[in-house]
Amino acid sequence: MAREEAEALTVPVRGPTSYTTAENVQPSATERKADRLPSVFGITALSAPRYPPTRRDSLIEHQFGEDLADPYRWLEADVRSSPEVATWVQQQNAASSAYLAELPGRNALREKIRSLFAYERFSLPRKAGGRYFYTRNSGLQNQAVLQVREGLGGTGRVLVDPNNWSTETGEGLRTLDAWVPSPAGRLVALTQQRDGSDWRTIRLVDVNTGAMLADRLEWANDTAIGWVGDGGFLYARYPAPPEGEAYRAPVYDKAIWYHRVGTPQSADVKVFATPDHRDWNHRLAVSSDGRWAVIISSASTLPRRTVHVIPLVRGRLAAGAQDWPALPIAAEMTDDWKFIEGIGDQLWFITNAGAPHYRLVRVNLDRQQPGQFSINTVIDERLDTLDAGRIVGRRLILSYLQQGASYAVVTDLNGHPQRAITVDAIGSASGFGGRPGDPETFYQFSSFNQPPSIFRLDTRTGKATPFAVPRLSFNPDDYVVEQRTFPSKDGTKVPMYVVRKRSLASSGAAAPTLLYGYGGFDVALTPGYSPVRMAWLEAGGVFALANIRGGGEFGRAWYDAGRLANKQNSFDDFIAAGEYLIKEGIAAKGGLAIQGGSNGGMLVAAVINQRPDLFAAANPDVGVMDMLRFDRFTSGRFWVDDYGSPAREADWRVLRAYSPYHNIRPRAEYPAILVTTADTDDRVVPAHSFKYVAALQAADLGARPHLLRVEAQAGHGPGKPVDKVIASGADVLAFLAKWTGLPLE
């Protein structure tokens, strides 16, 4: 997902809206709950937290004929610049920390998660100039270390250790995000993430010496790096944001730039921009043979994109953008396009143009007649969704989604089947990096009970050999991974994964269950490993993942069925998943917890409002909670094709009906809720969680606690150091265990 921007109370709301303000009223009396926390579901209560007082303003907006209160809008101010918001966050963290510290088994759980992290793990290798580049984590390092190996049989040496990057420079916590070796393997371009933000700084490393070069490129965001030879590369960036607004202000005017190695950023050449469409987002790729730059643009998270290609001649990009006209391949933003690879004047794409489940096409370009091209179908649409692809050697390796899991198929360049890559287990095979002409590719397999194992596949023989298989402290065979189907409210069959100990499944006994969901933005949730979730399973809990509508598991129709006016289907599916788990005797009565992040955080909060009786505990993480103002921060405007626009009355009424912040039900008995966010989340700004928690704590929602945990020097999730993941995982699971009855000691 993306971001948002905060506003002062003097800024009018978009659309046919006005509002009035009044003087502050008295702080909400949240202390009234503090001393009346009884035993719930037979669970002995802890001492109840005393919520900090929260200022409540009498701000009323008049929107589309309805008066709507927004008493906590002052919490939209940036925690870095507002002393009042900073103090409020400190007080909330103090209250939640004191409560979480009392939870039985939390410390033991933290050590359990730590032990489950303590295994050697690698990223998929990338080959450049005969060298293999990959990251390695010995187990408990906060960040994986970038290593290089001279040849497949060589010994890896450390190239970049981000754990040694100092925070004493005032730049915050810097983490290694992406890294791309140059074609000859002489340089590596890497992106540094600061405090978990979506902003990136691009740096260069000399592979021979390991020295960081002076080149430093700022304000990159959601960028790939496309090398043009070894002397320079293409990247995407925004203009510098206004002073003090880097984590809240809307972003516009993204452009593709060319950087020549050894020159300052001020000398970079703007190669592609759309000044008539300032809100467009651009991503780039360069074909492996360096002949074409492919630029794919979007205006929202909807899978609709334009495609332009630029012919490349090594070293000539510095001549100026006017010398590099962009040829439109798909000029209208009507369909989705995913670039796979290019060989000579042929480019391969995956597209849903005329194919809701996607098809593979080849674009044939004519350099002798610029602007001339043809498009031919290589592989027609199937029932399963074509999700990704690569060309390795002289083979196409295609990844398909089936019932929320992925599998791979190998064909020749004309789409004739060669073989399927199969694994006798429920899980996901992914990766398949490589280049045309390479005789090998690397892929990984993982599942809920299996950390990623990396394999090398010889594309000529089809033989797969292990490259890196982790040594584990548990036996994956002790766990059962099932895929079940349940009916939703309207009768739609929805798939769900259920994971638990084999002994628990054999006994048929119900157990405390953690249900996870997302259901948005055409994102497919596939089986994957998490040490935190494994700690829940090791303690005897059940984990379930529901592939609800709004996701990308079954193509465009499944996605459309859970967005805009159909968003309620996502909530109905998730509620039905919980009801099914209890009905089937998988989840213990009074022992169902729910969890989701980002759009999934909104999902969790929305279903709590609709069915508070169904759940014992919940963890809405970095969620979008104010659905009437999400488009006002950073890149939140990109989400309007999923959610609708709050400026349009029809969309506003749909959003108003389920917005978590606006639909809390006073005097209902709510589950225990631990809301988690981070102070530098500039994708879903933490103001969403701040306002939602303030409203929860002010309402009379029963005796169970409703707490806020704000992570410092962290963002939306990516780049979080291992020690922070362990600490937050222990806090969240201990909280959910307490209120579902899962014994931890």
Side-chain angles (χ1 to χ4, degrees):
M1 291 181 52
R3 316 166 204 161
E4 288 100 316
E5 148 204 50
E7 298 175 347
L9 294 180
T10 55
V11 180
V13 177
R14 299 176 192 173
T17 300
S18 61
Y19 66 78
T20 59
T21 60
E23 293 182 359
N24 296 344
V25 298
Q26 294 180 354
S28 56
T30 55
E31 293 85 356
R32 65 183 179 274
K33 305 176 186 177
D35 296 313
R36 59 180 183 88
L37 193 62
S39 173
V40 181
F41 297 137
I43 301 169
T44 303
L46 295 173
S47 57
R50 288 188 175 272
Y51 304 132
T54 302
R55 193 185 91 213
R56 180 181 176 90
D57 293 341
S58 54
L59 169 64
I60 304 293
E61 287 189 337
H62 311 287
Q63 294 184 275
F64 302 112
E66 182 175 341
D67 289 345
L68 200 65
D70 191 1
Y72 305 113
R73 187 174 296 180
W74 64 273
L75 286 169
E76 292 180 359
D78 194 326
V79 68
R80 281 160 290 272
S81 58
S82 169
E84 186 178 21
V85 174
T87 298
W88 184 85
V89 169
Q90 291 170 0
Q91 293 173 342
Q92 289 287 338
N93 267 344
S96 61
S97 294
Y99 181 87
L100 295 169
E102 293 185 43
L103 291 173
R106 185 188 69 154
N107 293 336
L109 185 61
R110 183 187 293 114
E111 293 310 309
K112 184 63 176 179
I113 296 173
R114 184 179 300 278
S115 71
L116 290 167
F117 261 109
Y119 66 92
E120 186 180 34
R121 48 196 182 273
F122 296 83
S123 71
L124 288 167
R126 299 177 189 172
K127 186 179 179 181
R131 288 167 162 162
Y132 291 82
F133 298 84
Y134 54 91
T135 60
R136 173 186 177 272
N137 192 311
S138 61
L140 293 173
Q141 291 174 288
N142 272 326
Q143 298 187 60
V145 175
L146 180 60
Q147 296 191 340
V148 60
R149 181 184 295 181
E150 303 290 341
L152 188 61
T155 301
R157 63 178 170 89
V158 173
L159 185 60
V160 176
D161 185 352
N163 297 288
N164 294 332
W165 289 344
S166 174
T167 60
E168 298 174 356
T169 60
E171 294 184 342
L173 176 63
R174 291 180 295 161
T175 55
L176 175 62
D177 177 47
W179 45 272
V180 183
S182 64
R186 294 193 299 106
L187 298 170
V188 170
L190 59 85
T191 58
Q192 293 178 326
Q193 184 180 22
R194 185 185 304 171
D195 290 341
S197 164
D198 280 341
W199 293 113
R200 301 291 188 269
T201 299
I202 301 176
R203 304 298 306 272
L204 295 175
V205 176
D206 185 305
V207 176
N208 288 328
T209 65
M212 192 87 74
L213 304 188
D215 304 55
R216 185 186 183 97
L217 312 181
E218 301 288 0
W219 306 117
N221 191 312
D222 187 26
T223 185
I225 293 172
W227 282 95
V228 183
D230 273 39
F233 56 85
L234 297 168
Y235 71 103
R237 66 173 164 92
Y238 288 102
E243 184 69 27
E245 293 292 313
Y247 303 118
R248 299 188 309 155
V251 287
Y252 295 95
D253 300 315
K254 194 173 189 178
I256 305 297
W257 295 77
Y258 173 73
H259 175 74
R260 184 179 295 279
V261 174
T263 64
Q265 187 170 16
S266 59
D268 290 356
V269 176
K270 185 184 291 187
V271 173
F272 182 86
T274 53
D276 293 336
H277 299 283
R278 297 182 58 213
D279 59 330
W280 282 16
N281 181 43
H282 310 300
R283 286 188 61 83
L284 69 104
V286 173
S287 60
S288 293
D289 59 10
R291 292 172 63 93
W292 297 95
V294 178
I295 299 170
I296 297 181
S297 305
S298 61
S300 72
T301 54
L302 199 66
R304 294 175 179 169
R305 320 198 193 282
T306 65
V307 181
H308 293 80
V309 298
I310 300 176
L312 299 178
V313 179
R314 185 174 299 181
R316 284 181 50 195
L317 272 172
Q322 68 273 15
D323 297 327
W324 299 94
L327 167 65
I329 299 297
E332 301 298 325
M333 205 168 282
T334 56
D335 303 296
D336 194 11
W337 292 81
K338 303 175 183 179
F339 176 61
I340 294 180
E341 185 56 274
I343 301 176
D345 292 336
Q346 294 182 327
L347 304 176
W348 279 260
F349 291 87
I350 292 171
T351 180
N352 63 356
H357 291 274
Y358 291 81
R359 59 191 173 105
L360 179 70
V361 300
R362 181 174 57 236
V363 177
N364 303 297
L365 298 156
D366 190 338
R367 281 187 181 250
Q368 304 305 315
Q369 300 182 58
Q372 299 298 309
F373 63 91
S374 62
I375 301 178
N376 303 109
T377 297
V378 179
I379 297 179
D380 281 320
E381 177 186 24
R382 295 183 175 186
L383 289 177
D384 295 336
T385 299
L386 178 55
D387 183 54
R390 297 295 295 265
I391 293 179
V392 182
R394 299 294 295 177
R395 301 285 187 269
L396 280 159
I397 302 179
L398 305 174
S399 178
Y400 285 88
L401 289 174
Q402 182 184 61
Q403 296 285 325
S406 63
Y407 66 91
V409 172
V410 181
T411 76
D412 64 20
L413 295 183
N414 293 315
H416 299 134
Q418 301 289 304
R419 68 183 67 86
I421 300 173
T422 60
V423 180
D424 188 21
I426 294 177
S428 298
S430 60
F432 303 103
R435 302 160 53 116
D438 282 350
E440 63 187 356
T441 185
F442 294 88
Y443 69 94
Q444 68 179 23
F445 173 80
S446 65
S447 189
F448 299 107
N449 61 335
Q450 176 63 60
S453 295
I454 298 176
F455 299 88
R456 177 184 179 270
L457 176 69
D458 188 317
T459 59
R460 297 165 298 188
T461 65
K463 182 179 180 181
T465 55
F467 179 82
V469 177
R471 296 178 180 176
L472 306 177
S473 60
F474 64 93
N475 184 359
D477 291 337
D478 289 342
Y479 296 87
V480 175
V481 180
E482 304 173 85
Q483 191 171 35
R484 298 187 172 215
T485 302
F486 63 90
S488 189
K489 182 178 181 180
D490 62 0
T492 298
K493 299 297 185 181
V494 182
M496 175 168 59
Y497 292 103
V498 177
V499 190
R500 50 187 167 168
K501 284 186 175 180
R502 190 174 299 276
S503 58
L504 181 62
S506 299
S507 71
T513 298
L514 175 56
L515 171 63
Y516 190 90
Y518 187 79
F521 295 89
D522 202 26
V523 172
L525 295 186
T526 57
Y529 178 75
S530 162
V532 176
R533 290 176 185 166
M534 182 51 65
W536 177 268
L537 293 167
E538 286 270 84
V542 178
F543 176 75
L545 186 150
N547 296 119
I548 63 178
R549 282 174 284 184
E553 290 84 357
F554 300 99
R556 182 60 186 270
W558 194 256
Y559 169 46
D560 285 343
R563 71 181 186 94
L564 299 176
N566 296 324
K567 195 64 185 175
Q568 183 60 41
N569 286 334
S570 300
F571 310 142
D572 289 342
D573 291 355
F574 201 57
I575 290 169
E579 292 175 331
Y580 173 86
L581 290 168
I582 294 173
K583 178 183 176 182
E584 293 296 308
I586 297 171
K589 291 183 178 180
L592 179 62
I594 51 175
Q595 184 182 50
S598 197
N599 176 79
M602 181 273 290
L603 164 75
V604 167
V607 300
I608 288 172
N609 287 336
Q610 295 182 16
R611 284 294 307 277
D613 60 298
L614 185 60
F615 313 110
N619 171 222
D621 182 41
V622 294
V624 189
M625 304 305 194
D626 186 342
M627 301 306 298
L628 304 183
R629 291 176 63 79
F630 70 84
D631 60 335
R632 297 169 179 269
F633 308 99
T634 56
S635 55
R637 68 176 186 278
F638 288 122
W639 312 341
V640 297
D641 281 319
D642 241 72
Y643 294 145
S645 171
R648 293 193 294 263
E649 181 175 2
D651 291 347
W652 184 90
R653 295 199 179 281
V654 172
L655 294 165
R656 171 67 181 87
Y658 70 80
S659 176
Y661 174 58
H662 298 95
N663 287 280
I664 294 169
R665 296 165 55 184
R667 292 173 297 282
E669 191 73 30
Y670 267 43
I673 304 172
L674 177 60
V675 178
T676 48
T677 186
D679 61 1
T680 318
D681 188 347
D682 52 0
R683 195 174 308 180
V684 178
V685 293
H688 281 281
S689 295
F690 295 173
K691 294 170 66 175
Y692 171 66
V693 166
L696 284 176
Q697 293 179 352
D700 187 1
L701 302 175
R704 281 169 277 189
H706 306 131
L707 301 172
L708 175 67
R709 185 188 191 278
V710 183
E711 189 78 72
Q713 289 190 302
H716 200 60
K720 185 182 290 187
V722 167
D723 59 0
K724 289 181 179 290
V725 175
I726 293 172
S728 62
D731 282 351
V732 170
L733 290 192
F735 183 86
L736 300 180
K738 172 64 184 177
W739 291 99
T740 57
L742 179 67
L744 295 179
E745 291 183 322

